[in-house]
């Protein structure tokens, strides 16, 4: 990596501990106005300074994030299909490298769908994006998905992650699974996990803890943070696991304590002092 690439990458994966807490708010690019993300600006604002980086599209970046923010941007640059369309794997590159530079993106994000109808197209997209990113010193995050008939297990997730790394991705996002250590060991670049669908807070924190134990470099979590009843407490609890090695139980206690304090303040504003 040259200096520019190393510098941008260090904003995403923190060099002091090689870990990250990425906040995903890109769901609207195929889901539309997702619950509790109907107004992206309101969802993002209280969480922005608590995330190591923010993953989103150019439209939401421009409309919903203050230009004065110092939180690094992971720019979602793939899309073209919706939840009601023919096939979610039918994606293309939707944002040019020139636009990513203008938006001061620290990293580019693109999905690949291994084992899907449009596998070749998405892998070709990744290769093209890596080529362009290398020219401009911008790292690429490959978001892995597998075909509908393929289980989210170590065999297929490991296949997708390895292919992404082989094609030049600098970091890979995938799902946690049984034998996740095999996925990590078979992928020569950092692996971060997706939060997936909304879980109970205790379960989401356990997922985070298990993934870190099994070798993940961090999380790219969305719904399990901003769909929580207390998003600020939740992202702080996730951070405690990723950056401070809290156990899931310790992080859940932190979440409960912060939630209880918030409730107390809401009922009695004088409790702030």
């Amino acid at each position: 990596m040259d200096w520019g690439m190393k510098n941008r990458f260090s904003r995403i994966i923190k060099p002091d501990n090689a870990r990250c807490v990425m906040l995903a708010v890109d769901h609207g690019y195929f889901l539309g106005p997702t619950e509790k993300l109907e107004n992206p600006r309101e969802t993002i604002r209280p969480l922005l300074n608590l995330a190591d980086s923010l993953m989103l599209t150019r439209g939401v970046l421009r409309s919903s994030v203050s230009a004065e923010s110092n939180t690094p941007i992971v720019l979602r640059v793939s899309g073209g299909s919706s939840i009601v369309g023919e096939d979610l794997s039918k994606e293309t590159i939707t944002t040019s490298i020139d636009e990513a530079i203008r938006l001061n993106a620290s990293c580019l994000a693109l999905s690949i769908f291994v084992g899907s109808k449009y596998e070749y197209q998405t892998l070709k997209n990744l290769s093209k994006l890596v080529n362009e990113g290398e020219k401009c010193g911008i790292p690429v995050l490959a978001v892995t998905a597998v075909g509908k008939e393929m289980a989210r297990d170590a065999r297929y997730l490991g296949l997708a992650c390895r292919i992404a790394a082989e094609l030049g991705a600098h970091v890979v996002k995938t799902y946690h699974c049984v034998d996740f250590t095999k996925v990590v060991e078979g992928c020569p670049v950092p692996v971060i996990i997706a939060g997936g669908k909304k879980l109970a807070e205790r379960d989401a924190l356990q997922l985070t803890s298990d993934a870190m134990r099994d070798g993940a470099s961090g999380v790219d979590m969305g719904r399990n943070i901003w769909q929580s009843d207390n998003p600020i407490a939740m992202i702080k609890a996730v951070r405690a696991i990723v950056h401070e090695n809290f156990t899931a139980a310790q992080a859940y206690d932190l979440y409960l304590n912060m939630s209880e304090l918030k409730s107390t303040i809401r009922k009695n504003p004088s409790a702030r002092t």
Side-chain angles (χ1 to χ4, degrees):
M1 290 186 185
D2 63 19
W3 190 92
M5 180 75 77
K6 289 180 180 178
N7 180 263
R8 289 186 177 93
F9 191 75
S10 71
R11 301 176 199 169
I12 306 304
I13 305 292
K14 300 304 180 184
D16 55 340
N17 63 2
R19 292 184 172 186
C20 73
V21 174
M22 189 181 296
L23 180 66
V25 289
D26 61 327
H27 301 65
Y29 93 95
F30 71 98
L31 285 174
T34 310
E35 181 184 359
K36 294 193 177 182
L37 194 58
E38 296 92 344
N39 184 330
R41 178 182 294 274
E42 294 302 313
T43 300
I44 293 167
R45 185 176 54 196
L47 301 172
L48 184 58
N49 292 332
L50 296 171
D52 293 330
S53 60
L54 187 66
M55 181 176 173
L56 75 177
T57 61
R58 61 179 171 179
V60 171
L61 176 60
R62 284 198 173 101
S63 66
S64 306
V65 180
S66 169
E68 286 71 40
S69 169
N70 289 319
T71 301
I73 296 302
V74 179
L75 191 67
R76 158 69 71 173
V77 300
S78 68
S81 294
S82 77
I83 194 67
V84 297
E86 173 198 355
D87 192 314
L88 280 177
S89 69
K90 192 176 183 180
E91 285 199 346
T92 188
I93 296 174
T94 57
T95 306
S96 70
I97 193 75
D98 289 340
E99 178 127 358
I101 292 170
R102 284 195 297 271
L103 292 171
N104 199 29
S106 295
C107 185
L108 309 174
L110 172 148
S111 291
I112 61 170
F113 295 81
V114 172
S116 73
K117 180 179 179 180
Y118 295 98
E119 174 189 90
Y120 170 77
Q121 181 174 317
T122 64
L123 294 179
K124 186 177 179 181
N125 290 341
L126 174 60
S127 299
K128 179 180 179 181
L129 190 65
V130 169
N131 289 342
E132 294 182 347
E134 289 287 345
K135 290 178 184 176
C136 300
I138 305 179
V140 172
L141 163 66
V143 181
T144 66
V146 295
K148 294 179 181 179
E149 305 304 319
M150 299 165 68
R152 287 182 179 176
D153 60 18
R155 176 186 177 187
Y156 291 117
L157 294 178
L159 171 68
C161 290
R162 180 56 175 264
I163 289 172
E166 294 274 354
L167 291 177
H170 304 89
V171 57
V172 177
K173 172 182 174 180
T174 194
Y175 294 95
H176 185 257
C177 62
V178 175
D179 293 329
F180 186 72
T181 53
K182 293 181 180 179
V183 177
V184 174
E185 289 168 358
C187 184
V189 299
V191 178
I192 61 177
I193 65 146
K197 294 181 179 180
K198 177 68 173 69
L199 304 171
E201 282 76 7
R202 180 65 176 82
D203 293 338
L205 293 171
Q206 188 64 58
L207 169 66
T208 303
S209 179
D210 291 346
M212 299 308 297
R213 175 202 64 202
D214 292 342
S217 294
V219 301
D220 182 21
M221 194 168 279
R223 286 168 287 186
N224 278 299
I225 291 175
W226 40 261
Q227 285 184 345
S228 171
D229 289 337
N230 192 338
I232 292 175
M234 190 60 183
I235 195 171
K236 287 185 175 180
V238 170
R239 290 189 64 84
I241 294 173
V242 174
H243 289 304
E244 301 177 51
N245 296 314
F246 274 38
T247 65
Q250 290 171 328
Y252 188 54
D253 284 343
L254 175 64
Y255 170 79
L256 291 177
N257 290 338
M258 291 191 63
S259 299
E260 183 178 343
L261 176 61
K262 179 181 178 180
S263 178
T264 300
I265 292 173
R266 183 180 297 146
K267 294 176 182 176
N268 180 19
S270 64
R272 290 179 183 275
T273 58

